[in-house]
Amino acid sequence: MADIDYRAVAIEAGLPRVGARPSLWRYLVDLWHRRRFATTLARYRLEATLSEQRLGIAWVVISPLLQAAVYGTVFGIIMTSDSRPDNFVPFLVTGFFLFTFFSQSFSQGAKALTGNVSLVRSLHFPRMLLPVSAVLKELYTLAPMLVVLVAILIGFGELPTLNWLLMVPILALMTMFNLGVALIAARLTVHLRDIGQLIPIITRILFYASGIFYSIDLVLAPPAHPAWMLQVAQFNPVHAFIELGRGALQTTQELEPLLWVVASGSALVTLVFGVVFFWRAEERYGRA
Amino acid sequence: MATDPSIETPEAIVVDGLVKRFRFRHVHSLKETVARWVRRATVETDEFTALKDVNLTIRQGETVALLGFNGSGKSTLLKCISGVLTPDEGQIGVRGRIAGLIEVGAGFHPDLTGRENVYLNGAILGMSEAEIEARFEQIVAFSEIEEFIDQEVKFYSSGMFLRLAFSVAVHTDPDVFLVDEILAVGDEPFQRKCLDRIRELRASGKTLVIVSHDLNMVADLCDRGILLEHGVVVMDDEPHAVVRRMRGEG
């Protein structure tokens, strides 16, 4: 064959390198251009999982409600009543629904790449679309849960106040945090499948540490436990989102300024780190 | 070089010193892994070099057949060109939008309907919603599965699946079209239709790279044949001549 300097030819012809990881900015622009894929996939997936069951969309709400009822009853018997705040049912349901949003984003985000191997191996597209779509699906799932939550709140005497509008920034921050966690989990799972086994355990620990069915402020109050325990527990971002949600929706709960600091700080740091962390391995996802 | 009818056109694909290796890590039990780690022994890996220093240029408007027996590296080369696999050494440059039928229907979700899959697949290939909308009728008509378009794809026969996947891919208006062994599926009338569509793409100046074991068909379809053997380009010529060599006639 003729002796050709292929590299020079490519440079001279101005051919872009195939599969190259673009700059972060270009990557995000490309992601934005294909956002329809993420939103459409999220919507279709949700519809598809629901259409298989007779009760359809009702399960989105029934399942976490039943779980909340189980935990509420079991721990209502086991734990002393001074671990629970007043108007316990809205407290429990708000906590459980918001926690479900986090735990589902975490576990589904972790599977976003490993569960779509054939797609990743046969088409070239910004891989970040997959975890983004997984978190979007969980956000859509949250919508009917919020409707039921409103009914429960009103049923238990928590009438709408202007504070309810605070749910918009709270959920925006929580979505940022969840997306960051999903991106980190998605990349780690590609490198090490074993992470998938750890996710339910991490979720369980967070579930017990975030005060879903008891009040951290009441249980970890200083006389019974050293003061640092409560302080550490309050730096758990998942707890912060749940407490903010309760503070916004229930007049019996308070909105502490520290919670806003923890929530917005963790949302920003997790999202920025997650995006950069995921983007850096962009060229390696097709290999696994 | 090969008989090149279009020496004036610019390069569409340049492959420069491409090396692609696959590593097989032996999976050990946890005990062995720990023991190995304690002894500071390195992880044993088997390496298999699928492509060894492949260099080639393909010009715009060329229709190229990648030929070779099983395991010669054809599909790996195609996946590298499509950007799905990253080369271990060397570089590949491609001009324009690439569309590939490499794993047929890989972007299809079985739980979704044909219609939903068309929109999703179009979106992932970078088409806007308006573009998909405008071509939707055409895509469905080409696939001939109008009455099943609102059925979930998991109920499709393999032929219907292939038709829809092929139809979406050829309607994305790619500049470079990569086809891996897809014409083997589908009945004869549909195969003929696919071939007609490929000829249309060729006539409109698109660049095509085709992998197939149907040697007579690709030799007739393409104007250049590249023969791979054990990851090395051994012949680059008029496709019928390459096929004769493969059959031991040349």
Side-chain angles (χ1 to χ4, degrees):
Chain A
M1 250 178 291
D3 214 7
I4 304 172
D5 183 355
Y6 289 90
R7 193 188 188 86
V9 172
I11 292 166
E12 196 188 327
L15 300 187
R17 182 164 79 84
V18 157
R21 181 187 73 190
S23 69
L24 186 57
W25 174 248
R26 274 240 38 102
Y27 187 74
L28 295 176
V29 168
D30 201 16
L31 197 70
W32 178 250
H33 281 310
R34 303 204 194 187
R35 65 189 181 279
R36 277 229 77 89
F37 173 75
T39 54
T40 321
L41 181 63
R43 208 179 73 229
Y44 288 163
R45 277 242 177 107
L46 182 60
E47 287 169 3
T49 42
L50 296 176
S51 65
E52 303 242 305
Q53 286 127 20
R54 288 284 166 85
L55 289 178
I57 196 143
W59 277 115
V60 164
V61 177
I62 296 172
S63 168
L65 263 185
L66 286 176
Q67 290 186 59
V70 170
Y71 281 106
T73 314
V74 170
F75 287 100
I77 295 167
I78 296 174
M79 292 179 91
T80 52
S81 62
D82 56 5
S83 65
R84 289 186 295 274
D86 299 335
N87 214 353
F88 181 58
V89 174
F91 175 90
L92 172 71
V93 175
T94 308
F96 207 91
F97 282 9
L98 288 180
F99 188 80
T100 306
F101 177 39
F102 165 76
S103 63
Q104 285 294 109
S105 302
F106 184 28
S107 63
Q108 298 302 310
K111 282 187 230 160
L113 291 174
T114 49
N116 284 298
V117 175
S118 62
L119 186 61
V120 171
R121 282 197 197 154
S122 60
L123 292 172
H124 186 69
F125 60 93
R127 273 47 167 127
M128 206 181 277
L129 283 170
L130 292 172
V132 166
S133 169
V135 174
L136 273 178
K137 184 192 160 203
E138 299 311 325
L139 187 62
Y140 296 164
T141 315
L142 187 64
M145 287 160 79
L146 290 179
V147 173
V148 172
L149 182 60
V150 166
I152 290 174
L153 284 165
I154 294 172
F156 281 84
E158 295 280 2
L159 296 177
T161 63
L162 269 183
N163 260 359
W164 283 27
L165 290 176
L166 287 175
M167 281 308 278
V168 176
I170 294 168
L171 286 178
L173 287 173
M174 191 173 182
T175 308
M176 286 166 65
F177 177 77
N178 287 358
L179 180 57
V181 170
L183 290 171
I184 297 166
R187 175 172 166 185
L188 288 178
T189 312
V190 169
H191 295 330
L192 194 64
R193 296 287 165 112
D194 307 42
I195 301 275
Q197 301 291 335
L198 281 177
I199 286 172
I201 297 163
I202 299 171
T203 306
R204 192 108 310 228
I205 294 169
L206 281 170
F207 177 78
Y208 287 110
S210 301
I212 313 292
F213 50 85
Y214 65 93
S215 162
I216 282 189
D217 295 342
L218 294 179
V219 171
L220 295 181
H225 297 274
W228 62 265
M229 277 184 77
L230 181 60
Q231 280 163 359
V232 169
Q234 279 171 336
F235 276 100
N236 165 11
V238 182
H239 168 256
F241 292 118
I242 290 172
E243 277 297 285
L244 283 175
R246 285 166 174 162
L249 296 173
Q250 288 180 267
T251 46
T252 50
Q253 297 290 313
E254 277 173 60
L255 274 165
E256 289 173 48
L258 174 69
L259 295 174
W260 284 108
V261 176
V262 173
S264 37
S266 62
L268 209 63
V269 170
T270 315
L271 182 63
V272 170
F273 178 79
V275 166
V276 173
F277 184 67
F278 188 92
W279 161 75
R280 288 181 65 93
E282 177 72 8
E283 289 186 22
R284 286 149 61 187
Y285 296 129
R287 248 185 238 171
Chain B
M1 267 318 260
T3 47
D4 197 335
S6 48
I7 199 81
E8 301 306 319
T9 62
E11 296 81 4
I13 304 172
V14 175
V15 179
D16 164 42
L18 173 65
V19 175
K20 181 71 200 169
R21 297 186 201 96
F22 289 105
R23 284 169 211 86
F24 305 101
R25 183 181 289 181
H26 294 294
V27 181
H28 295 288
S29 70
L30 186 63
K31 200 174 84 185
E32 281 178 287
T33 310
V34 171
R36 198 174 296 278
W37 183 74
V38 168
R39 281 186 276 119
R40 313 230 162 206
T42 50
V43 182
E44 250 176 73
T45 51
D46 263 1
E47 247 189 21
F48 168 71
T49 309
L51 294 170
K52 300 163 194 160
D53 194 28
V54 172
N55 292 289
L56 46 96
T57 52
I58 294 172
R59 292 178 178 279
Q60 254 170 36
E62 271 192 292
T63 308
V64 178
L66 281 183
L67 299 163
F69 296 111
N70 285 337
S72 55
K74 308 180 296 285
S75 296
T76 307
L77 178 54
L78 215 57
K79 283 188 180 182
C80 287
I81 295 174
S82 78
V84 172
L85 290 176
T86 329
D88 290 302
E89 282 170 39
Q91 285 197 357
I92 301 173
V94 174
R95 191 195 305 278
R97 182 140 92 178
I98 313 171
L101 264 182
I102 290 178
E103 271 175 48
V104 175
F108 276 29
H109 287 269
D111 289 334
L112 306 181
T113 67
R115 180 187 302 274
E116 290 166 343
N117 270 307
V118 169
Y119 275 88
L120 268 187
N121 221 300
I124 210 166
L125 292 168
M127 290 166 83
S128 70
E129 202 173 5
E131 277 180 287
I132 305 171
E133 207 93 43
R135 285 179 208 164
F136 187 79
E137 291 304 317
Q138 249 180 302
I139 292 173
V140 176
F142 186 89
S143 67
E144 297 172 26
I145 55 161
E146 287 94 341
E147 33 182 336
F148 304 107
I149 195 71
D150 287 312
Q151 290 281 323
E152 285 161 40
V153 162
K154 65 182 167 202
F155 298 125
Y156 281 20
S157 70
S158 51
M160 286 158 69
F161 196 78
L162 163 96
R163 281 159 182 249
L164 194 60
F166 184 87
S167 190
V168 176
V170 289
H171 286 90
T172 51
D173 197 21
D175 302 300
V176 175
F177 196 54
L178 311 170
V179 191
D180 188 358
E181 206 59 76
I182 71 121
L183 302 176
V185 204
D187 54 20
E188 200 166 88
F190 191 70
Q191 270 187 33
R192 212 170 303 134
K193 200 162 146 179
C194 292
L195 287 178
D196 286 344
R197 179 71 195 171
I198 286 178
R199 286 195 192 95
E200 255 176 65
L201 286 172
R202 193 173 76 161
S204 61
K206 308 289 184 189
T207 311
L208 290 140
V209 182
I210 299 171
V211 167
S212 177
H213 288 288
D214 187 343
L215 298 180
N216 292 331
M217 186 272 290
V218 279
D220 290 339
L221 187 67
C222 299
D223 40 45
R224 179 175 163 196
I226 294 173
L227 179 61
L228 284 165
E229 259 173 34
H230 305 295
V232 180
V233 176
V234 292
M235 191 175 176
D236 186 344
D237 207 333
E238 196 279 322
H240 288 97
V242 177
V243 169
R244 276 199 298 278
R245 171 170 166 173
M246 285 178 77
R247 288 180 172 148
E249 293 164 4

